[in-house]
Amino acid sequence: MTSTVPALGTRTAEGSALQAVLLDMDGTLVDTEGFWWDVEVEVFASLGHTLDDSWRHVVVGGPMSRSAGFLIEVTGADISLAELSVLLNDGFEERIDRALPLMPGAARLLAELSTHEIPTALVSASHRRIIDRVLTSLGAQHFGLTIAGDEVPRTKPHPDPYLLAAAGLGADPARCAVVEDTATGVAAAEAAGCHVVAVPSVAPITPAARRTVVGSLEEVDLTFLRGLMTQMP
């Protein structure tokens, strides 16, 4: 298990302006965004409600409090947010226990960051119980710090999780590269002042200042991430 306490010995990369890499989890490192939607569909079906596929773009990438709250509101389901959160987390854990596919390029990128001792954090809107389960497949050793959505007062799209991660690794947010797959996560990282690499999973994301869009993590390596820092204003 990786706690939210920075690992001893974390340091910035020598000879590089890149101080840390902050990575989203669902849809970025692990191919699980579809898992969440499938579980939401199944849970609401058990409650007698059919989810409209167009709502998927509304709930993707956000904290459970927002996505679950939205689905309760639009369906009128007779269930509390707390009760629904338990059902969704239980259903998701069952899914990832069966299979947890990594995104193409994820294992290679994590190994490269570890080899070069780049301070790295996992920053997710998922709850701690989910993160710790996923870490058994991702490899907790790759991360000096992990931030869970239920451990911060305000999670994505607010900048708080990324500001906390940068501070925990002793890095300047402006010298951090963030990898995200959703507009919600991108908004959080940009609000924190980080450089962003967007790897869209469900909905398109357009390029912008300090935001680079790629087709997959297979296009991202340490040289690529260091190169983002040359775009400093």
Side-chain angles (χ1 to χ4, degrees):
M1 178 187 301
T2 304
S3 72
T4 54
V5 178
L8 294 176
T10 297
R11 63 179 178 80
T12 57
E14 296 178 357
S16 171
L18 176 68
Q19 293 182 351
V21 177
L22 316 177
L23 301 161
D24 174 53
M25 188 177 76
D26 293 301
T28 299
L29 293 177
V30 289
D31 192 7
T32 51
E33 288 292 10
F35 285 14
W36 281 114
W37 179 248
D38 290 344
V39 171
E40 288 161 346
V41 168
E42 291 174 3
V43 168
F44 275 88
S46 71
L47 298 172
H49 298 276
T50 300
L51 299 188
D52 190 307
D53 196 59
S54 65
W55 297 339
R56 181 176 183 179
H57 298 287
V58 178
V59 302
V60 68
M64 185 171 293
S65 57
R66 188 194 75 182
S67 57
F70 169 81
L71 293 174
I72 290 173
E73 181 179 354
V74 294
T75 61
D78 183 19
I79 189 171
S80 70
L81 180 59
E83 292 170 330
L84 180 57
S85 295
V86 171
L87 292 177
L88 293 177
N89 276 322
D90 286 348
F92 186 78
E93 284 191 7
E94 181 183 345
R95 288 293 181 106
I96 63 176
D97 282 346
R98 281 186 262 149
L100 183 59
L102 270 59
M103 297 298 289
R108 187 264 315 150
L109 177 60
L110 290 175
E112 182 179 18
L113 295 175
S114 292
T115 297
H116 291 274
E117 298 184 332
I118 304 299
T120 302
L122 185 68
V123 184
S124 177
S126 289
H127 289 185
R128 169 57 57 188
R129 60 181 283 194
I130 299 298
I131 289 180
D132 287 344
R133 187 68 66 90
V134 172
L135 280 172
T136 61
S137 293
L138 277 180
Q141 73 276 9
H142 294 304
F143 305 99
L145 176 68
T146 66
I147 304 290
D150 58 340
E151 295 175 338
V152 291
R154 301 190 309 170
T155 188
K156 305 172 188 181
H158 299 288
D160 307 37
Y162 282 113
L163 291 174
L164 182 61
L169 293 176
D172 178 354
R175 297 290 184 178
C176 292
V178 170
V179 185
E180 274 279 359
D181 73 304
T182 68
T184 298
V186 167
E190 290 181 341
C194 305
H195 289 266
V196 180
V197 179
V199 192
S201 58
V202 175
I205 298 173
T206 58
R210 297 172 67 90
R211 181 197 309 167
T212 303
V213 180
V214 298
S216 115
L217 284 183
E218 293 183 314
E219 300 176 42
V220 180
D221 58 15
L222 183 52
T223 299
F224 178 93
L225 295 173
R226 283 177 169 158
L228 297 177
M229 300 301 111
T230 65
Q231 302 171 21
M232 291 287 293

